[in-house]
């Protein structure tokens, strides 16, 4: 759906105002050349980080059960270290071509696909 002249002018004014108020945000929103990115987590970092975090939680629970505060602090540090390791395995990667919003919007919805399949079954 095309914008009217009034709507287009208003949009341009809003963009200009945004550029004046927050140039960094406006620049990041306007950069269309940069490819879409996603956050990917290394499977190794995910598994090891979660295991260490769970072990740390068990240490904290054990420390609470036996009323030993220093052990609880150590458990908290172990949980923090596990989560730190997990986050350290995250990286930004280029999104596949099909993962952009425009291509997702152009695809048929799940219900439309199901209706097509239903019609094919009814006909054949």
């Amino acid at each position: 759906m095309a914008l009217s002249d009034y709507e287009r002018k208003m949009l341009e004014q809003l963009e200009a105002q945004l550029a004046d108020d927050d140039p960094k945000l406006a620049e990041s929103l306007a950069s269309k050349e940069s490819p879409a990115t996603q956050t990917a987590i290394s499977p190794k970092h995910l598994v090891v980080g979660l295991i260490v975090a769970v072990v740390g939680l068990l240490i904290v629970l054990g420390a609470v059960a036996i009323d030993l505060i220093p052990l609880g602090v150590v458990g908290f540090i172990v949980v923090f270290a596990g989560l730190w390791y997990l986050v350290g395995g995250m990286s930004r990667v280029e999104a596949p071509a099909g993962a952009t919003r425009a291509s997702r919007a152009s695809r048929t919805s799940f219900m439309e696909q199901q209706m097509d399949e239903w019609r094919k079954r009814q006909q054949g």
Side-chain angles (χ1 to χ4, degrees), residues 75-92:
F76 176 76
I77 292 171
V78 171
V79 169
F80 185 74
L83 294 177
W84 184 308
Y85 185 76
L86 188 144
V87 170
M90 291 183 175
S91 61
R92 303 289 265 167

Side-chain angles (χ1 to χ4, degrees), residues 36-40 91-96 99:
T37 59
Q38 290 180 338
T39 302
S91 61
R92 303 289 265 167
V93 294
E94 258 187 55

Side-chain angles (χ1 to χ4, degrees), residues 110-124:
F110 174 75
M111 291 305 292
E112 289 172 350
Q113 291 174 359
Q114 295 302 314
M115 289 299 292
D116 289 341
E117 290 294 324
W118 176 258
R119 287 184 196 117
K120 287 178 188 176
R121 288 187 196 126
Q122 295 298 320
Q123 292 173 355

Side-chain angles (χ1 to χ4, degrees), residues 46-66:
L46 177 67
V47 171
V48 172
L50 286 177
I51 289 173
V52 170
V54 168
V55 168
L57 284 174
L58 292 175
I59 292 172
V60 169
L61 288 174
V64 168
I66 60 174

Side-chain angles (χ1 to χ4, degrees), residues 3 6 16 18 24-25 31-32 48-49 51 62 65-67 69-70 76-77 85 94 99 103 106 109:
L3 296 175
Y6 174 75
L18 176 64
K24 289 182 182 178
L25 176 63
S31 63
K32 295 181 182 176
V48 172
I51 289 173
I66 60 174
D67 198 28
I69 292 175
F76 176 76
I77 292 171
Y85 185 76
E94 258 187 55
S103 65
S106 66
S109 71

